[in-house]
Amino acid sequence: MPSRGFEEVVLPHLDAAYNYARWLTRNDAEAEDVVQDACVRAMRFLPSLRDDDARPWLLAIVRNVWYSRAARRAGSPERLPFETATYDPPDRAPDPEARLLQQQSVGQVREALEQLPPDFREVVVLREFEEMSYKAIASVIGVPIGTVMSRLARARDRLSALLRSGPLPMERCR
Amino acid sequence: MSCDDVARDLEAYVDRELDADSIAAIRSHIGACASCRQRVAEREALGRLVRSVPYRVAPDRLRARVVADVERRRSLYQWIAWATAAVLIVSLGAAIIFVRSATVRSDALVADLVDSHVRSLLADHLFDVQSTDQHTVKPWFLGKLDFSPPVIDLTPTGFPLVGGRLDYLSGRPIAALIYQRQKHTINVFVWPASNQGSAPRERAIRGFNVRHWVHDGMSFWAVSDLNEAELNEFVRAFQMAPA
């Protein structure tokens, strides 16, 4: 039966699927649609899961659904222009700035995270909220582990810059 | 361990992806290096800051929608499974009917062949061309059939060729080759094979033995009142002989 075990295998990760989709879409209704589509696909592909961990598998499906919806809607989803987006990490901050970093409100942090390009945003979300290993993150987004690490480094540099200085002009224009 | 090494392993360190030795090396370095200690502290602070944003759990209505979806699809899949089973059963039935009707058809064919054999003996119409020479019999068929049957003289093995005849079976003209064993007559009916080997190889009907084989796209049926052993010997000799 194609649907056997869906409740045991997929449903426990519904929150993870929604949280990830919500960060990708930045929109409640769209996140719900993405998750629902992903669950339908997950049900269909469940027999191919075998004994692997279901969470990265489900999140990879969520990601695919989101990308294909975004591609349908806009030609292609906003992607990080890796070639052009050269970014200089900020100088090492002295103590006062580190304290400033910690005075950010939850709202500001969320906003900064939402301003990150999706390729950066998703590695931070998968690492910090889902507490996934680099290996699991690599399997969700389909890149080598080394890429996960370098992307996390750049995403965090970018995020701390945003939190220190407010939105970058480039982000505002988008 | 240098400051560059720490920079390289910074993410892996705060994400606890390093092995114990590397962790110890970084700890001992940042114990002595204030600027690296600062970098690590910032990264850890950033992580805490991000994790302070509340995790967004799936709304109940989404959970309900997904469960309803799964139920609906599960019943759809069950329906498909039933429909598939039904189709399988019907096809199986059709296959059985097909095989049985094929058997009935091949039974009818064998009966026709035996009839033809008997008729050839009764009506004094055994030969259209009477010759023991394969080089006379084979050309005789030219222009009378749209195929050229292999004509083999089996005199050396004790089954002399005695002639050939045109026959008519299942709506088409066919070749009959006549061989003799003492007083027994063997009719070998030949026509281009339409399907490979679905008919039984050995039959006995009304005291006549029937042997069937397919070779080089030709269907062969040998019919005779000869006993089984000798007819088998004839078939072997026919199949072994160079055409």
Side-chain angles (χ1 to χ4, degrees):
Chain A
M1 286 304 293
S3 61
R4 183 169 51 201
F6 183 89
E7 282 86 349
E8 304 88 70
V9 176
V10 178
L11 275 191
H13 304 298
L14 195 68
D15 285 339
Y18 179 75
N19 185 57
Y20 182 40
R22 181 61 184 75
W23 278 109
L24 287 175
T25 59
R26 298 179 289 190
N27 175 293
D28 289 343
E30 209 196 336
E32 288 184 35
D33 288 348
V34 165
V35 170
Q36 193 174 10
D37 279 9
C39 284
V40 168
R41 286 200 205 181
M43 182 180 174
R44 201 175 331 140
F45 298 134
L46 194 54
S48 67
L49 178 62
R50 301 206 179 91
D51 295 330
D52 300 337
D53 186 4
R55 194 169 51 141
W57 173 78
L58 180 63
L59 295 191
I61 297 175
V62 167
R63 186 176 193 272
N64 285 337
V65 169
W66 176 66
Y67 263 101
S68 52
R69 287 169 72 102
R72 258 205 314 279
R73 199 173 45 235
S76 84
E78 54 173 322
R79 294 299 300 258
L80 180 67
F82 277 116
E83 295 78 23
T84 54
T86 53
Y87 173 73
D88 299 321
D91 296 336
R92 295 293 127 228
D95 271 323
E97 282 198 51
R99 274 202 299 280
L100 183 72
L101 201 82
Q102 288 174 354
Q103 286 163 5
Q104 304 282 336
S105 73
V106 164
Q108 284 168 306
V109 178
R110 180 182 286 148
E111 199 182 318
L113 203 44
E114 289 195 337
Q115 280 175 7
L116 287 181
D119 288 353
F120 281 0
R121 202 188 316 144
E122 67 180 350
V123 287
V124 174
V125 166
L126 294 174
R127 175 61 220 155
E128 303 295 1
F129 294 118
E130 297 304 332
E131 295 178 347
M132 281 181 152
S133 68
Y134 289 179
K135 189 167 169 242
I137 296 172
S139 85
V140 172
I141 68 179
V143 299
I145 289 172
T147 307
V148 171
M149 188 163 74
S150 61
R151 215 174 267 186
L152 261 173
R154 295 165 71 189
R156 282 166 170 162
D157 286 346
R158 186 93 162 243
L159 190 60
S160 36
L162 281 170
L163 288 170
R164 280 198 192 91
S165 61
L168 294 171
M170 193 183 88
E171 309 295 324
R172 276 216 178 104
C173 292
R174 187 169 283 156
Chain B
M1 162 105 14
S2 71
C3 296
D4 284 346
D5 293 334
V6 174
R8 190 197 61 215
D9 286 344
L10 183 58
E11 311 307 323
Y13 177 75
V14 299
D15 291 328
R16 294 180 296 283
E17 293 268 341
L18 287 181
D19 58 89
D21 287 349
S22 309
I23 291 171
I26 289 186
R27 288 223 171 114
S28 89
H29 176 91
I30 62 178
C33 172
S35 93
C36 283
R37 190 159 59 240
Q38 175 68 22
R39 280 189 195 184
V40 170
E42 266 185 54
R43 271 295 194 256
E44 286 172 341
L46 183 68
R48 280 193 297 277
L49 205 52
V50 170
R51 288 191 295 274
S52 72
V53 177
Y55 191 94
R56 275 182 280 218
V57 299
D60 287 344
R61 66 171 177 279
L62 173 62
R63 196 171 291 270
R65 266 163 69 188
V66 166
V67 168
D69 240 21
V70 168
E71 290 300 326
R72 200 165 53 243
R73 266 157 207 280
R74 180 171 292 156
S75 55
L76 176 71
Y77 285 136
Q78 262 158 11
W79 187 89
I80 289 171
W82 280 113
T84 309
V87 167
L88 276 177
I89 288 165
V90 168
S91 338
L92 191 65
I96 289 170
I97 289 167
F98 178 79
V99 167
R100 290 184 62 159
S101 68
T103 310
V104 168
R105 262 184 283 126
S106 95
D107 283 351
L109 177 69
V110 172
D112 283 350
L113 289 167
V114 169
D115 285 350
S116 184
H117 174 75
V118 172
R119 215 162 32 243
S120 74
L121 302 174
L122 283 181
D124 198 19
H125 180 212
L126 190 54
F127 319 109
D128 287 324
V129 51
Q130 183 169 6
S131 171
T132 57
D133 180 7
Q134 63 196 79
H135 301 294
T136 304
V137 174
K138 189 173 169 73
W140 180 84
F141 282 110
L142 277 177
K144 298 181 178 66
L145 293 170
D146 59 358
F147 61 95
S148 179
V151 181
I152 307 160
D153 184 18
L154 296 173
T155 306
T157 49
F159 297 97
L161 175 72
V162 290
R165 183 180 79 250
L166 268 187
D167 215 316
Y168 196 80
L169 189 90
S170 304
R172 67 162 303 145
I174 64 171
L177 307 173
I178 303 96
Y179 293 86
Q180 209 90 51
R181 180 74 180 245
Q182 281 112 30
K183 294 290 175 192
H184 302 280
T185 299
I186 305 165
N187 264 296
V188 178
F189 300 95
V190 187
W191 65 89
S194 54
N195 59 335
Q196 301 285 359
S198 64
R201 308 274 147 180
E202 302 188 359
R203 299 292 292 273
I205 185 168
R206 301 200 304 268
F208 295 97
N209 286 312
V210 182
R211 292 292 178 271
H212 168 57
W213 68 99
V214 173
H215 180 70
D216 272 357
M218 293 283 184
S219 190
F220 294 88
W221 294 83
V223 184
S224 179
D225 59 338
L226 208 58
N227 65 60
E228 280 198 38
E230 279 181 294
L231 188 58
N232 287 340
E233 186 191 334
F234 168 77
V235 170
R236 265 196 307 281
F238 195 100
Q239 289 174 337
M240 301 288 280

